[in-house]
Amino acid sequence: MTITENKTTNVIGTRLLRREDPPLLTGEAKFTDDLNIPGALHLAVLRSPYAHAKIKSINVSAALKIAGVIAVYTGKDLQTTWAAPLPCAWPVTKDMKNPAHYPLAIDKVNYVGDGVAAVLATNETASRDALDAIDVDYEPLQAVVDLEDALSDKNIIHNDLGTNKSYTWPLLVEDTPGCVEEAFKKAKYKVKERYVQQRLIPMAMEPRAIAAVPQPFGGDITLYSATQIPHILKVMTALTLGIPEHQVRVIAPSVGGGFGSKLNVYAEELLCMALARKHNTPVRWVEERSENAQATIQGRGQIQHIELAADENGKITAIRVRIIGDMGAYLQLVTPGVPLLGAFLYGGVYDIPKAYDFSCTSVFTNLTPTDAYRGAGRPEATFAIESAIEALAREMKIDSFELRKRNYIKKEQYPYTAFSGLVYDSGDHLTAAEKAAKLTDLAGVRKQQKKQNVPGATKLLGVGMTSYFEMCGLAPSRVLASLNYSAGGWETATVRVLPTNKVQVITGSSPHGQGHETSWSMIAAEKLGVAPEDVDVLHSDTAISALGLDTYGSRSLPVGGVAIAMACDRVIEKAKTIAAHQLECAAEDLQFVGGTFSVKGSPDRALPLAAIAFGAFTAHNLPEGCEPNLEAQVSYDPPNFSWPFGTHMCVVEVDAETGAVEILKYIAVDDCGIQINPLIVEGQVHGGVVQGIAQALFEEAVYDGDGNLKTSTLAEYLVPAACDVPPITTAHTTTPSPTNQLGVKGIGEAGTIGAAPTVINAIIDALSGLGVKSMAMPASPQTVWKTIQAARGGKK
Amino acid sequence: MIPAAFDYKRASSAAEAISLVSQYGSDAKFLAGGHSLLPLMKLRLAQPAMLIDIGRVKDLSYIKDAGKHIAIGALTRHMDVETSKVLHEHAPLLSHAAGHVGDAQVRHRGTIGGSIAHADPASDLPATTLALGATYVVQGPKGQREIAAANFYKGFLESDLAADEMLVEIRVPKMQGAGWGFQKFNRRAQDWAIVGVAAWRRKNEAGVALVNMGSTPILATSVADALAKGASVGDAAALASNEADPQSDLNASTEYRKHLASVLVRRALEDASK
Ligand SMILES: Cc1cc2nc3c(=O)[nH]c(=O)nc-3n(C[C@H](O)[C@H](O)[C@H](O)COP(=O)(O)OP(=O)(O)OC[C@H]3O[C@@H](n4cnc5c(N)ncnc54)[C@H](O)[C@@H]3O)c2cc1C
């Protein structure tokens, strides 16, 4: 049964306002730090000011004298508390090196922000004052900050590992052995590029916050956390603390954004739980902004080398990619897997032969650990291929759009088995790109550019584009197994029709800004023929939604949303047997339209779902063997990823005198298949595009040579505000996914994936007349100005 | 973001504020809009033991036409400077600059007196009042004295104000129809300037001051002198950094700052010459 075949109402595809917004906008929504928890002790964490140092001694006596301070613990004090180190769920290779990582450092600190001591106090002020009163004697060691330096093993961070290298993960796909090498030998055109993906700080609006509350009897504990992953957190905290899993309940209250940074198991979560149990009292913690910059994971952090070989027509014949990945000081939950999520996408939307040679080597540095950040691996891959294809077009002296057209996978080729063996289920790249070009008025802009970009001009016009493919909807469990990931990729849904025909949907996804309550209610409403406001969506509490794999990787709709549709189908199936029984007909003779079952051909023999729901509740008149109540639970493992795609274009004006870049227009044409709620899709694209623009122009976690973060406040870490970004024109094409019954694909990360290379390509285009061929990110005015100076001076 | 412990007293007049500050000495700080002081306290970079809140001293919030100059009370909020009709007419450069301070929230809290007393070279209003040849009126236990803006700024966050003195009034000469230009170069619209320029011009006479081009706001006297001698705007602007000594930071090296200063001075003077 698919939506299109069984159109009962018209909810899907409407711009229903988000039910989440009134409580958020009026301040009614309760975030973790808003919870009133009587008697809670406040945790504060003393953090290392050194990137790399031995801890010689810690004196806590002055801190203990401060009124309100209850206890101070060092890493040594808590050493025996942990059943296991902080978890890394993605050992990408058998020989991957993974240093033991505990909530508080024991005798050595490995990044600025590494936890050194934990204070418990009756109030937040005392806990903060106590941090200033702890005296730590450090012996500073040489910090390893640079990736290539780390790779050299000149200074080793984790002595017991003997190297800074964590792993090398290769993906070599060859039709015949040696064909990559061969293709490069034979190539008419070749390009070899190096790109740096700077470190980014996710900077969710709500910093992390935690409260661990022991329950009065029997040792149960409830963990409130500003997390994206209550379900995974429950398993992981139980294992790490040695608590029976059924005694842990995790609740994610309103969560103010995550972008991957709350897809983790953090030291403070374990500290709150361990100390709450030790003191048999609730323990809470809220992160300061600068702490968030240093002690919450960061994103990106890669050096990429990409080579393309092409024939005389510009058809790509081989790709070679070498990556150095920056893991930071330790491996967090999925740190090592991030580059792998991009590994399959360096061929972009192009028809690439089996001549693909990818390898990633990841290293430790004395910096904040990295992990998944919006797009995780895929923005990096897309940036590389979409920049390299521009380089190839420059090499061939042809228009880059034309070059893309020659390489796009054609609509007729779908479903398309890629070089990697992955099946791209659907796509139509040319249509999306042409739509973007039209909305951009590409021809008009090119004309204006000729007029404007004359020698000596100050304001230079440029156009940039990116055609992207995203591999999301994480993920088919078998594929995850082949990548050595320690969990599956399924999602659960329960749909329950209450006696009064109100509906409860229980989902294993865990929204933190995406509007799942609205979208999930729309799916159930469409399926069951009820009003969306009659559908309640329950989530993010492991006592209510016992099974789930949470929200990341643009998975919630194509996995969790589809599970809801499937659970609705099962409910309808059961309701149908009850209807057949009560209408005294065969189930096959019934149709279900607009929330009512009726006998095909005799519409007055009908029963509304409401009557069946009540009947299933009273159970007075059910068919033989039919259980009471209308409820179904589904665990859905997707057979494939979801493959959204699209083309983004933008027009920039670069002030050649100052280096300032202004984006004049930004066009995003995205294809995420069927849109459940276009308003929410647009919101996701807007936010994503802004984050991509931020990487291109504004944001970078800047470290000095000693590993000190120079951008630890919002005055230095430049998150763009509304007035810093251009109006964004969103448009779409609709290529339904054949993989799932809703025809949906993920849209959470698409904007971020498309935007950074689009903006950088536009800047390079604007400056091409000056001889500029590459642009570092973020393209700050100073960076742009220096690049222009270097090009003018003939230097590179 | 919890500051170290402090005491708090609210003054209802300048005289009361000054007597309080004399009583508590160098551990005390005036609190005006709090938009420079409180962030420093939250980061524990400033830890005054006593805050004397002058934010409610009402009779120090005014903008008056005083004949040759406009008199502005030290507690006047940026938003009031930005929207003042009197200033639009007689010192449009200042009201325009006030409109470029931070964001709307900052402009509703921050005061012109706080901005000048804080003496941050990256702030917009110290340089703008300097370019306009303003005079600052300060009041201490022994009464009032006047300080020319050109003599006020002594170093990074250092001014001629004594610990027991309070800035009470800013006197800005009327611009008398002079052309003006204001350039603020930053990466995000609501940020502090990487480099800023406030300039006015009336025939051969000009005033040019630079934001964030040294440890104090800088009066670019070489530019004004060159213009007085008949130099072209472009040639004069090339001298923008003569008096400056800009630092390097994340956003700009010394060299880039100097380059920006000449571009921005030229653009400001072009606007002023229109
Ligand atoms: C997010 C943000 C962005 C900002 N952006 C900008 C910007 O773009 N441009 C810009 O110019 N400024 C900017 N500011 C600073 C803002 O303009 C401040 O308001 C101003 O610098 C200080 O004024 P205040 O009234 O808040 O002073 P306060 O913070 O209260 O005081 C500052 C200092 O001056 C002293 N003081 C205050 N008033 C007096 C007085 N009358 N006599 C003697 N001493 C006094 C105080 O003791 C303190 O040491 C920004 C501030 C913030 C928070």
Side-chain angles (χ1 to χ4, degrees):
Chain A
M1 196 185 314
T2 69
I3 290 290
T4 35
E5 273 167 25
N6 201 336
K7 195 112 191 114
T8 50
T9 58
N10 283 309
V11 181
I12 287 187
T14 59
R15 303 173 71 85
L16 194 67
L17 292 180
R18 290 177 12 133
R19 62 170 64 174
E20 289 86 348
D21 288 338
L24 288 172
L25 296 174
T26 57
E28 292 280 309
K30 290 271 176 284
F31 295 83
T32 300
D33 199 46
D34 296 327
L35 302 175
N36 181 12
I37 303 173
L41 297 178
H42 292 260
L43 170 75
V45 179
L46 181 70
R47 300 188 181 279
S48 169
Y50 292 102
H52 198 193
K54 278 193 187 139
I55 301 172
K56 292 172 71 182
S57 65
I58 304 179
N59 185 345
V60 303
S61 54
L64 283 170
K65 284 188 196 125
I66 292 174
V69 172
I70 301 291
V72 182
Y73 296 100
T74 65
K76 280 218 174 81
D77 298 335
L78 296 179
Q79 208 163 358
T80 55
T81 306
W82 320 116
L86 281 158
C88 171
W90 205 338
V92 294
T93 60
K94 290 220 162 60
D95 60 352
M96 182 186 84
K97 302 262 191 311
N98 180 16
H101 178 200
Y102 290 97
L104 292 178
I106 292 171
D107 32 43
K108 192 161 158 274
V109 287
N110 290 309
Y111 69 97
V112 173
D114 212 353
V116 174
V119 174
L120 280 190
T122 53
N123 64 81
E124 211 179 343
T125 309
S127 73
R128 176 64 187 79
D129 288 343
L131 296 185
D132 291 345
I134 300 174
D135 189 16
V136 185
D137 189 10
Y138 294 99
E139 179 188 326
L141 302 168
Q142 180 65 43
V144 181
V145 173
D146 177 78
L147 291 190
E148 277 144 351
D149 197 28
L151 206 51
S152 77
D153 277 343
K154 240 185 327 199
N155 292 293
I156 289 180
I157 298 168
H158 302 288
N159 284 327
D160 49 330
L161 304 183
T163 173
N164 292 325
K165 198 177 104 178
S166 178
Y167 67 86
T168 293
W169 189 88
L171 175 68
L172 178 65
V173 185
E174 293 194 313
D175 221 3
T176 51
C179 75
V180 171
E181 194 58 48
E182 194 70 9
F184 275 97
K185 262 191 213 139
K186 277 206 272 187
K188 174 86 198 314
Y189 298 104
K190 279 184 277 196
V191 290
K192 186 172 183 175
E193 300 282 303
R194 178 182 187 269
Y195 305 117
V196 177
Q197 299 288 329
Q198 77 268 37
R199 275 177 169 257
L200 299 172
I201 301 176
M203 274 309 172
M205 184 101 73
E206 181 206 18
R208 288 187 294 129
I210 300 163
V213 183
Q215 300 303 303
F217 305 105
D220 287 11
I221 185 160
T222 301
L223 174 68
Y224 298 90
S225 181
T227 182
Q228 297 172 228
I229 53 162
H231 296 91
I232 297 174
L233 197 55
K234 180 177 75 132
V235 183
M236 291 301 187
T237 52
L239 290 175
T240 314
L241 289 161
I243 309 175
E245 186 187 342
H246 63 284
Q247 292 195 290
V248 179
R249 173 182 180 186
V250 178
I251 300 174
S254 284
V255 177
F259 314 111
S261 74
K262 294 173 182 167
L263 190 194
N264 233 307
V265 179
Y266 281 107
E268 295 80 5
E269 284 161 333
L270 300 174
L271 284 169
C272 281
M273 284 177 87
L275 297 178
R277 278 158 56 89
K278 204 177 189 100
H279 289 257
N280 201 24
T281 293
V283 172
R284 71 191 308 166
W285 174 77
V286 63
E287 192 175 44
E288 293 192 351
R289 182 54 66 189
S290 299
E291 242 179 338
N292 178 264
Q294 293 178 332
T296 291
I297 63 95
Q298 297 180 356
R300 313 281 189 268
Q302 286 185 2
I303 295 176
Q304 307 168 294
H305 296 268
I306 180 167
E307 293 172 73
L308 303 182
D311 68 14
E312 63 282 4
N313 297 316
K315 274 283 289 172
I316 298 169
T317 53
I319 298 183
R320 192 185 282 133
V321 179
R322 293 289 178 269
I323 306 280
I324 310 176
D326 182 353
M327 305 285 93
Y330 304 103
L331 302 182
Q332 286 275 354
L333 192 62
V334 299
T335 305
V338 172
L340 274 61
L341 288 171
F344 303 91
L345 285 182
Y346 283 81
V349 294
Y350 307 115
D351 189 14
I352 306 289
K354 281 193 178 161
Y356 189 85
D357 176 6
F358 171 96
S359 168
C360 171
T361 295
S362 288
V363 296
F364 295 107
T365 54
N366 286 119
L367 304 175
T368 297
T370 59
D371 207 312
Y373 173 56
R374 203 170 191 172
R378 290 148 294 169
E380 295 91 314
T382 305
F383 185 92
I385 179 65
E386 285 303 293
S387 300
I389 202 151
E390 293 282 333
L392 181 60
R394 278 194 296 276
E395 179 75 20
M396 294 177 65
K397 302 197 166 56
I398 66 168
D399 176 62
S400 66
F401 191 6
E402 169 58 27
L403 181 59
R404 284 183 174 87
K405 286 182 195 166
R406 293 182 194 175
N407 283 283
Y408 282 145
I409 302 166
K410 294 189 180 53
K411 191 179 166 186
E412 312 79 74
Q413 289 174 276
Y414 282 98
Y416 173 88
T417 304
F419 61 88
S420 55
L422 291 168
V423 177
Y424 303 167
D425 66 1
S426 56
D428 180 0
H429 309 292
L430 187 59
T431 304
E434 282 177 338
K435 189 164 188 175
K438 196 162 164 220
L439 289 166
T440 308
D441 181 21
L442 187 58
V445 175
R446 287 285 181 219
K447 229 191 253 165
Q448 172 64 24
Q449 193 179 24
K450 275 221 177 83
K451 244 194 273 170
Q452 194 171 325
N453 293 12
V454 292
T458 307
K459 299 282 174 98
L460 302 172
L461 211 56
V463 197
M465 78 181 286
T466 289
S467 293
Y468 74 89
F469 222 150
E470 189 189 349
M471 174 182 135
C472 64
L474 307 181
S477 298
R478 281 184 194 179
V479 179
L480 291 178
S482 73
L483 295 174
N484 258 354
Y485 182 61
S486 318
W490 45 263
E491 195 47 270
T492 68
T494 300
V495 171
R496 185 180 295 144
V497 186
L498 302 174
T500 56
N501 205 33
K502 305 294 180 200
V503 178
Q504 278 181 332
V505 168
I506 301 164
T507 177
S509 67
S510 190
H512 41 283
Q514 297 86 347
H516 292 174
E517 291 178 14
T518 303
S519 300
W520 290 188
S521 77
M522 292 170 76
I523 293 171
E526 175 91 30
K527 279 282 190 179
L528 300 173
V530 299
E533 54 273 25
D534 285 340
V535 182
D536 192 16
V537 178
L538 304 172
H539 58 84
S540 305
D541 177 346
T542 61
I544 293 173
S545 150
L547 296 170
L549 284 172
D550 308 312
T551 288
Y552 43 86
S554 303
R555 70 187 304 272
S556 293
L557 177 58
V559 191
V562 171
I564 291 164
M566 291 168 71
C568 288
D569 287 344
R570 290 205 193 154
V571 164
I572 294 167
E573 203 70 27
K574 178 171 183 183
K576 196 185 231 178
T577 63
I578 299 173
H581 172 73
Q582 297 190 353
L583 291 167
E584 296 176 343
C585 66
E588 304 83 70
D589 294 338
L590 286 175
Q591 57 181 12
F592 182 59
V593 179
T596 297
F597 288 96
S598 62
V599 178
K600 290 175 197 159
S602 43
D604 33 315
R605 282 179 67 198
L607 263 183
L609 185 65
I612 298 171
F614 195 70
F617 165 71
T618 62
H620 292 173
N621 180 18
L622 297 179
E624 204 44 48
C626 177
E627 289 177 12
N629 292 318
L630 267 189
E631 175 183 304
Q633 183 176 350
V634 164
S635 288
Y636 169 62
D637 197 351
N640 193 352
F641 293 93
S642 103
W643 300 94
F645 63 90
T647 288
H648 289 198
M649 284 193 181
C650 81
V651 181
V652 301
E653 196 169 70
V654 183
D655 183 331
E657 270 188 318
T658 62
V661 174
E662 189 186 353
I663 301 177
L664 303 180
K665 32 175 160 172
Y666 193 100
I667 313 291
V669 178
D670 297 284
D671 191 323
C672 60
I674 302 293
Q675 300 189 355
I676 302 296
N677 183 333
L679 196 65
I680 289 181
V681 170
E682 284 161 22
Q684 289 293 314
V685 173
H686 283 151
V689 166
V690 170
Q691 255 168 326
I693 291 174
Q695 178 174 11
L697 297 181
F698 296 103
E699 297 183 14
E700 179 177 19
V702 181
Y703 284 91
D704 69 12
D706 295 326
N708 297 305
L709 181 62
K710 309 301 281 178
T711 53
S712 65
T713 78
L714 287 167
E716 299 99 18
Y717 189 80
L718 304 183
V719 178
C723 50
D724 302 307
V725 291
I728 296 163
T729 303
T730 53
H732 60 272
T733 56
T734 305
T735 311
S737 165
T739 301
N740 62 66
Q741 63 155 288
L742 295 175
V744 295
K745 309 174 181 184
I747 193 64
E749 295 157 300
T752 322
I753 292 172
T758 302
V759 173
I760 294 295
N761 286 342
I763 299 171
I764 296 172
D765 183 57
L767 302 177
S768 58
L770 305 176
V772 169
K773 290 189 178 139
S774 66
M775 184 58 62
M777 293 191 289
S780 69
Q782 172 166 255
T783 297
V784 173
W785 180 73
K786 281 189 173 160
T787 309
I788 295 172
Q789 296 303 102
R792 281 193 171 137
K795 293 177 269 166
K796 190 128 194 254
Chain B
M1 301 301 273
I2 300 174
F6 58 87
D7 278 328
Y8 173 92
K9 286 228 168 1
R10 183 185 292 162
S12 54
S13 67
E16 188 187 352
I18 289 157
S19 99
L20 282 168
V21 81
S22 313
Q23 193 178 326
Y24 291 99
S26 59
D27 281 349
K29 276 249 165 226
F30 293 123
L31 175 70
H35 270 47
S36 289
L37 184 54
L38 295 183
L40 290 176
M41 288 173 61
K42 286 185 178 175
L43 293 169
R44 299 198 173 195
L45 294 173
Q47 305 201 358
M50 167 62 79
L51 282 190
I52 298 160
D53 187 352
I54 54 175
R56 314 249 174 133
V57 179
K58 277 246 167 42
D59 56 3
L60 282 183
S61 175
Y62 57 80
I63 299 171
K64 285 186 215 151
D65 187 334
K68 283 220 168 97
H69 68 262
I70 306 298
I72 306 172
L75 267 301
T76 309
R77 312 270 171 189
H78 302 321
M79 187 57 77
D80 296 323
V81 174
E82 178 188 357
T83 54
S84 154
K85 284 221 174 71
V86 178
L87 287 173
H88 284 187
E89 192 181 338
H90 297 292
L93 173 57
L94 180 59
S95 50
H96 180 86
H100 283 77
V101 172
D103 55 40
Q105 282 166 303
V106 173
R107 295 195 292 274
H108 275 97
R109 292 298 305 168
T111 65
I112 186 170
S115 183
I116 288 167
H118 196 55
D120 185 339
S123 285
D124 299 304
L125 303 186
T128 304
T129 49
L130 180 61
L132 288 169
T135 300
Y136 306 144
V137 181
V138 308
Q139 186 174 329
K142 290 182 203 130
Q144 294 196 343
R145 65 185 178 115
E146 290 177 22
I147 312 169
N151 299 326
F152 183 77
Y153 300 101
K154 297 295 179 198
F156 183 69
L157 306 186
E158 271 178 54
S159 73
D160 197 40
L161 269 176
D164 58 359
E165 279 181 322
M166 182 175 157
L167 178 59
V168 289
E169 187 175 280
I170 294 93
R171 293 181 181 161
V172 181
K174 289 185 176 174
M175 288 175 68
Q176 295 170 337
W180 57 273
F182 181 78
Q183 292 281 326
K184 182 170 179 175
F185 190 82
N186 49 20
R187 290 180 63 186
R188 293 179 303 187
Q190 298 171 344
D191 275 331
W192 305 81
I194 294 172
V195 175
V197 176
W200 60 268
R201 192 174 186 197
R202 198 187 306 102
K203 295 195 185 122
N204 280 347
E205 210 186 336
V208 180
L210 309 176
V211 178
N212 214 6
M213 283 294 288
S215 56
T216 63
I218 303 289
L219 201 55
T221 46
S222 299
V223 176
D225 291 349
L227 288 172
K229 288 185 192 130
S232 71
V233 162
D235 288 347
L239 308 174
S241 297
N242 268 15
E243 288 74 29
D245 181 17
Q247 75 287 11
S248 262
D249 60 23
L250 287 178
N251 290 317
S253 65
T254 299
E255 183 201 5
Y256 178 55
R257 270 212 164 78
K258 288 183 174 174
H259 166 75
L260 279 180
S262 45
V263 173
L264 299 176
V265 165
R266 194 195 73 225
R267 290 181 183 178
L269 286 173
E270 280 165 1
D271 287 344
S273 309
K274 269 179 195 154

